[in-house]
């Protein structure tokens, strides 16, 4: 009894932000345990099992976009562009190293790191000029960036042989590969013959790492500066804050996370095409953020997981599947943006916290 009270006192002594962070970690771990148990018991269908890694990817993408839209207060419509950069960079690394590094786990880690690094560089290149804009102008430029990246990838051919990587913007024949060479990226046909390296476990680990990075950034001095700029740009600038520096920090961090998520996504399939990372994907991720609550990390996790798997669960309704999906989206949006529903939820959690403490 005494031990139980001590645990309660410790939990109640933890700050509200730290407690919320632990709950986020707990949700992800419980999700992993439940689905891993169901999978080991053979209770998951093949279609649902195939959705596990995409769920992890979209959760990561929603968290990364929430860092820009919710925490930084900027509207980005080209997030799929960073995802595509990380995806194809990760595929190139994993494929070109398969004869050098036998371990799939090591190649996956390297692919995630390189994918994140390349996307971060693109974030810096795009962010420096773009973040000087505000409102609709920023959204339009990021939208253009996503479409430009997709079109560039449609025209890009990359191959690998004993002499290294070969690049071309014409066709695969102009790569000049040796007999042992392999075409990694074949223009609009995308990356072909990818060896699957992504696992559900690696996806969960990446979610936990992303949560750790974002929550520590938000609760840090830099995070408070970013939110101060979001709330009142003029007051923050008058206080001496470097606006571009802090906005760029959030933007580049978000881009790097999206790049890692893209690499995890691409290494889950045998073929990935640039068309997958179009404007619709950016909007889908933005829908996850809005429905989960702008600035609400836990809401992004739940919304991305539920809405990713929902179309598959509604497949039994056949012709009415997308109609039901649209109705669910509208209902969730109405509930999450209703002040009375928010107040009711806060009262319940406040009452529960008081009872526990």
């Amino acid at each position: 009894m005494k031990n139980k009270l001590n645990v309660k006192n410790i939990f109640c002594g933890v700050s509200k932000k730290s407690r919320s962070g632990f709950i986020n970690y707990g949700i992800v771990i419980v999700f992993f345990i439940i689905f891993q148990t169901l999978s080991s018991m053979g209770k998951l269908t093949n279609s649902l099992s195939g959705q596990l890694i995409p769920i992890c990817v979209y959760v990561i993408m929603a968290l990364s976009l929430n860092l820009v839209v919710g925490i930084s207060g900027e509207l980005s419509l080209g997030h799929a562009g960073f995802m595509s950069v990380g995806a194809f960079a990760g595929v190139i690394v994993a494929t070109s190293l398969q004869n050098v590094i036998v371990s799939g786990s090591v190649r996956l880690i390297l692919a995630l790191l390189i994918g994140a690094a390349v996307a971060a560089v693109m974030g810096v290149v795009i962010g420096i000029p773009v973040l000087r804009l505000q409102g609709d102008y920023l959204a339009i430029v990021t939208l253009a960036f996503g479409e430009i990246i997709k079109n560039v990838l449609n025209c890009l051919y990359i191959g690998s042989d004993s002499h290294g990587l070969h690049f071309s913007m014409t066709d695969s024949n102009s790569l000049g590969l040796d007999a042992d060479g392999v075409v990694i990226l074949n223009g609009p046909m995308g990356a072909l013959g990818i060896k699957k390296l992504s696992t559900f476990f690696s996806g969960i680990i990446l979610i936990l790492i992303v949560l750790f990075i974002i929550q520590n950034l938000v609760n840090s001095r830099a995070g408070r500066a970013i939110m101060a700029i979001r709330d009142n740009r003029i007051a923050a600038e008058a206080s001496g804050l470097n606006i571009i520096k802090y906005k760029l920090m959030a933007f580049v961090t978000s881009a790097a996370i999206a790049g890692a998520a893209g690499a995890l996504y691409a290494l889950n399939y045998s073929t990935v095409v640039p068309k997958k990372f179009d404007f619709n994907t950016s909007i889908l991720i933005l829908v996850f953020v809005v429905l989960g609550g702008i600035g609400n990390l836990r809401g992004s996790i739940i919304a991305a997981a539920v809405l990713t798997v929902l179309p598959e669960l509604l497949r039994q309704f056949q012709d009415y599947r997308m109609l039901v999906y649209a109705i669910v989206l509208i209902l969730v949006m109405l509930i999450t943006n209703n002040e009375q529903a928010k107040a009711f939820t806060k009262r319940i959690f406040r009452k529960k916290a008081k009872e526990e403490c």
Side-chain angles (χ1 to χ4, degrees):
M1 185 69 179
K2 186 183 248 184
N3 290 335
K4 189 176 179 182
L5 289 173
N6 287 336
V7 171
K8 260 190 188 180
N9 291 333
I10 291 171
F11 183 76
C12 294
V14 175
S15 67
K16 185 178 178 181
K17 289 182 179 178
S18 299
R19 196 185 308 168
S20 178
F22 289 137
I23 292 173
N24 292 339
Y25 294 133
I27 289 172
V28 176
I29 293 170
V30 168
F31 170 78
F32 172 72
I33 292 172
I34 290 173
F35 279 89
Q36 196 68 15
T37 303
L38 291 174
S39 180
S40 62
M41 294 171 61
K43 299 292 185 182
L44 288 181
T45 62
N46 291 332
S47 59
L48 191 56
S49 297
Q51 290 289 315
L52 293 179
I53 295 176
I55 288 172
C56 294
V57 170
Y58 285 121
V59 166
I60 295 167
M61 290 298 295
L63 289 171
S64 66
L65 185 58
N66 213 340
L67 182 58
V68 174
V69 176
I71 310 302
S72 182
E74 304 291 347
L75 179 59
S76 173
L77 296 179
H79 216 53
F82 296 115
M83 185 182 181
S84 65
V85 168
F88 290 105
V91 168
I92 292 168
V93 170
T95 305
S96 59
L97 293 178
Q98 63 185 5
N99 295 326
V100 180
I101 301 175
V102 179
S103 174
S105 300
V106 174
R107 280 188 287 130
L108 175 61
I109 292 171
L110 289 175
L112 294 176
L113 292 175
I114 298 299
V118 174
V121 171
M122 293 301 297
V124 173
V125 172
I126 299 299
I128 291 175
V130 164
L131 292 176
R132 300 179 186 277
L133 305 173
Q134 297 181 44
D136 298 338
Y137 298 104
L138 175 64
I140 292 169
V141 174
T142 53
L143 170 61
F145 160 72
E147 292 302 305
I148 290 169
I149 289 295
K150 185 189 73 173
N151 288 314
V152 168
L153 291 171
N154 275 326
C155 302
L156 186 61
Y157 297 84
I158 300 176
S160 174
D161 58 15
S162 56
H163 297 288
L165 293 174
H166 299 254
F167 299 86
S168 173
M169 296 292 286
T170 309
D171 54 41
S172 58
N173 294 326
S174 61
L175 289 172
L177 298 174
D178 293 340
D180 62 338
V182 58
V183 177
I184 301 174
L185 184 57
N186 196 10
M189 295 177 65
L192 306 172
I194 304 170
K195 290 190 176 180
K196 182 177 177 179
L197 299 177
S198 300
T199 62
F200 182 42
F201 178 73
S202 61
I204 293 295
I205 294 298
L206 188 56
I207 291 175
L208 293 175
I209 292 172
V210 168
L211 272 174
F212 177 80
I213 293 171
I214 293 178
Q215 289 179 166
N216 278 276
L217 175 61
V218 171
N219 295 327
S220 67
R221 181 179 178 181
R224 291 191 292 273
I226 292 169
M227 289 185 284
I229 295 168
R230 174 198 65 189
D231 294 337
N232 195 321
R233 180 190 176 100
I234 297 174
E237 196 167 13
S239 300
L241 292 179
N242 189 328
I243 303 295
I244 301 300
K245 171 188 171 182
Y246 288 111
K247 287 172 68 175
L248 188 63
M249 183 185 297
F251 192 76
V252 172
T253 303
S254 174
I257 294 171
L264 181 71
Y265 180 86
L267 293 173
N268 183 49
Y269 299 99
S270 59
T271 302
V272 176
V273 295
K275 187 180 178 181
K276 169 61 187 173
F277 309 99
D278 59 4
F279 173 67
N280 293 326
T281 302
S282 294
I283 293 299
L284 179 64
I285 299 164
L286 183 61
V287 168
F288 295 154
V289 173
V290 173
L291 292 184
I294 295 177
N296 187 342
L297 298 181
R298 192 178 310 151
S300 294
I301 294 172
I302 296 171
V306 172
L307 296 178
T308 300
V309 77
L310 188 59
E312 194 63 38
L313 296 177
L314 295 173
R315 192 170 291 278
Q316 58 183 325
F317 293 100
Q318 297 179 357
D319 296 338
Y320 301 100
R321 180 166 61 100
M322 297 313 295
L323 175 61
V324 175
Y325 181 69
I327 293 171
V328 170
L329 289 181
I330 293 170
L331 290 175
V332 171
M333 187 174 292
L334 290 174
I335 293 171
T336 53
N337 289 281
N338 186 286
E339 294 299 328
Q340 293 179 346
K342 288 181 180 179
F344 177 72
T345 306
K346 286 181 180 179
R347 283 199 301 270
I348 291 176
F349 281 107
R350 194 180 296 119
K351 184 179 179 181
K352 188 176 180 182
K354 286 180 180 178
E355 289 176 355
E356 289 178 349
C357 298

